[in-house]
Structures are given as C-alpha cells and as structure tokens.
Amino acid sequence: MTNAPPGPLDSPPTSPQTSPQASSSTSSPSDDAAAERRALRAALLARRASLPQRARLDARIEAELAALLDWLPVRCLGFYWPIQQEFDARALVARWLAAAAGRDAALPAVSRPGVPLDFHRWTPDTPMREGRYGIPVPDGTAAVTPDALLIPCVGFSAEKFRLGYGGGFYDRTLAALPGKPVAIGIGYEDCRIALAPAAHDIPMDWMVTEAGRF
C-alpha cells in the first residue's frame, strides 16, 4: 500500500489576500507563535521524510500499536489514510478487523473547514473516492462513531501534546465526539520535541512510537 499524494488532512483553507492598508506593520505575539509553529512543522515534516531505516521503524511502531489495540477494549477504531510519509496503519487495521467479530474501522472525511471530522466505515474492500485535499475517503459507507482514534503526529511532546498540520480538525473532533474516544497519537522519536500547548490543544491518551508506548 502506498501513501496518498500530499494534502494535509488538517491543512487550513487559504486565506484571502489582504490589502497593504489592512495589514499591520508589526506582528502580535500570537502571529509570532503561529509563525514559529509553521517553521517547526516544516522542519519536522522534512525530518520525517528523510528518516533512515524507515521499514524497521515502522515494524516497531506496528508491533507496539498491535499490542496496545489488543489490550484496549476498542470496538470501532478510527484511523487515517497516510499522507506525507505518515505511518501507514492500513494493514494493521485490516488484521485487527479480521481478528474478532463485531469490530468496525472508519476513516475520516472533511465535510468543510472548521468543523469536526466525520467518520465512515472502512474495510480493505471498501471503494474509495477522492475527498477534500485529495485524500481518499470511503465511498457511500455508513457514518459511525469511533471509540478510539489513531492520530498522526507531525511532532509530539513528552506530555503527549501533538503538533499537527495546523487546521485543528482533530482537536475539534475529540472535543465533539460523545464519550471522548481514546486518542492514540502515532509518531517517530526523531519528531519528539518540547512543545508549549496552545489553549485549544488536547493531549493524547497514548503515544506510540518505535521506542514503545506511553
């Protein structure tokens, strides 16, 4: 299975151009913080794209994640279609589905910017169509509510806060889903960073990397 073309799930819509008269000549602290996050995100994406021995790292993540999913009482697992060199969980999710009756898996779809993600049932045989940002989504399957989410991390901290692509989709989704699903971040140790969380950031319940889970 191959990664989809670049097209960040969390990528915010392009802002309209402002006139020189409407822009300020000085930046605010919030503007500076946003610029710092954009630079950090770009550096981490480049780092992830050039990780050595990637197959070995992915095999370790897969083993750690499989053990965690066997331990958690998950019935409906939301995950993601991999983009931009994210860990590809599709084969693992397919095996998890086949291992026990009554399990469901689901992929997210973006209905419009600024709202929580929708999740639609997925199996390895599900027909797919192109969704927003060019990311494949299930075609015509039922909407479901996951009780656990696999969430890709561009970067993450020891406190389990996540740096994503900047659109805030997962934070909104975690806040909106009933019963708050178990949030499982997926990342690489080379992308573990010191990260000051923003006011809206929600920490992961678990982080899984090639070094283990915490």
Side-chain angles (χ1 to χ4, degrees):
M1 296 180 180
T2 58
N3 280 2
L9 180 61
D10 307 64
S11 178
T14 302
S15 299
Q17 295 294 320
T18 56
S19 67
Q21 293 82 359
S23 62
S24 171
S25 59
T26 59
S27 60
S28 68
S30 61
D31 290 336
D32 291 341
E36 289 176 3
R37 284 205 166 201
R38 284 194 297 272
L40 178 59
R41 185 177 295 115
L44 290 171
L45 286 170
R47 185 182 302 175
R48 185 169 72 191
S50 61
L51 285 173
Q53 299 183 312
R54 179 61 186 266
R56 179 178 61 85
L57 301 182
D58 285 355
R60 289 183 174 181
I61 289 176
E62 186 166 310
E64 292 290 342
L65 182 55
L68 179 61
L69 290 176
D70 283 345
W71 182 74
L72 292 171
V74 179
R75 304 306 297 173
C76 183
L77 178 64
F79 70 115
Y80 56 91
W81 192 275
I83 61 172
Q84 299 205 72
Q85 303 301 314
E86 293 167 344
F87 170 74
D88 187 349
R90 287 174 290 178
L92 170 61
V93 172
R95 291 195 298 273
W96 177 83
L97 278 173
R103 289 177 172 177
D104 280 320
L107 284 170
V110 178
S111 59
R112 63 184 187 277
V115 300
L117 297 167
D118 299 321
F119 285 86
H120 293 266
R121 185 173 285 114
W122 175 90
T123 72
D125 300 323
T126 295
M128 306 294 288
R129 62 175 178 83
E130 185 175 303
R132 279 184 181 264
Y133 313 120
I135 301 172
V137 298
D139 187 9
T141 62
V144 294
T145 302
D147 52 13
L149 293 179
L150 304 186
I151 302 177
C153 301
V154 175
F156 64 94
S157 70
E159 295 75 30
K160 300 196 283 279
F161 283 101
R162 164 188 177 268
L163 181 68
Y165 293 103
F169 280 106
Y170 278 108
D171 288 319
R172 282 190 291 271
T173 301
L174 289 171
L177 283 175
K180 189 185 180 298
V182 178
I184 304 169
I186 310 293
Y188 296 90
E189 284 294 331
D190 274 7
C191 297
R192 185 193 288 237
I193 54 173
L195 183 64
H200 63 272
D201 287 343
I202 297 175
M204 302 292 95
D205 297 300
W206 290 90
M207 276 300 311
V208 177
T209 76
E210 73 274 18
R213 53 192 186 272
F214 65 94

